[in-house]
Amino acid sequence: MFSFEIYNKESAQEWNDFINSSRNPSTFQLYEWGEYQQKSDGCEIIRVTIKKDNIVKLVAQLAIKKLPMLRSNIIGVLHGPCILAKNDEMEELLDYFIDGVKKVAKSKNVAFIRLNPNWQNNHFKKLKKTDFSTVQKRFSMLYYTTTMEIDLAK
């Protein structure tokens, strides 16, 4: 059984160890990147983990940014989540992640979630079975490759 948890520890080293031992490590999920986003962009950072039998299987840094024109927020997950699980656990793991992020989104008045995973293409199939959809970008950004969004108004 998986559990979705907010990571409340202040241990940058432990968080970074999770990221670096994952199958898809990314600089944009490191503890220090979250601290930088807080200071430079004014984002609220929420770090989450998914555990199975008290073993961390997935970690993600959620950056919550205000959208003043919409009077709401956006959650961005840049190059995440980072996965420490096996392929046979992926489907259930992603279900827990999506459900958990949706709960965080509702509590933070979020208009939409921007998920930009750093995964192999076969894992995107799982997201396409959910409420997420691929977004075609008009302007390329340096670090965005594929972006997925979910409309929470549904």
Side-chain angles (χ1 to χ4, degrees), residues 81-144:
C82 292
I83 299 166
L84 293 91
K86 299 174 185 171
N87 278 338
D88 62 343
E89 298 174 309
M90 283 295 293
E91 189 165 333
E92 188 178 5
L93 183 65
L94 289 174
D95 283 342
Y96 270 86
F97 174 70
I98 291 165
D99 289 345
V101 173
K102 282 182 179 180
K103 288 176 186 172
V104 171
K106 286 181 183 177
S107 73
K108 297 290 183 178
N109 188 34
V110 168
F112 65 94
I113 300 164
R114 183 177 205 150
L115 182 61
N116 169 246
N118 182 20
W119 300 338
Q120 296 173 349
N121 286 339
N122 57 341
H123 298 309
F124 284 104
K125 292 176 187 172
K126 169 58 188 154
L127 289 177
K128 289 180 182 179
K129 293 179 185 174
T130 66
D131 297 331
F132 281 89
S133 61
T134 302
V135 176
Q136 298 297 325
K137 299 193 63 59
R138 293 180 189 203
F139 304 100
S140 62
M141 298 180 93
L142 184 60
Y143 46 79
Y144 287 120

Side-chain angles (χ1 to χ4, degrees), residues 5 9 20-22 24 33-34 44 63-64 66-67 76 81 97-98 132 140 149-150:
E5 300 175 13
K9 297 178 186 175
N20 291 325
S21 63
S22 73
N24 58 319
W33 182 257
E44 176 185 359
I64 302 171
K66 293 182 181 183
L67 298 172
F97 174 70
I98 291 165
F132 281 89
S140 62
E149 291 182 352
I150 184 170

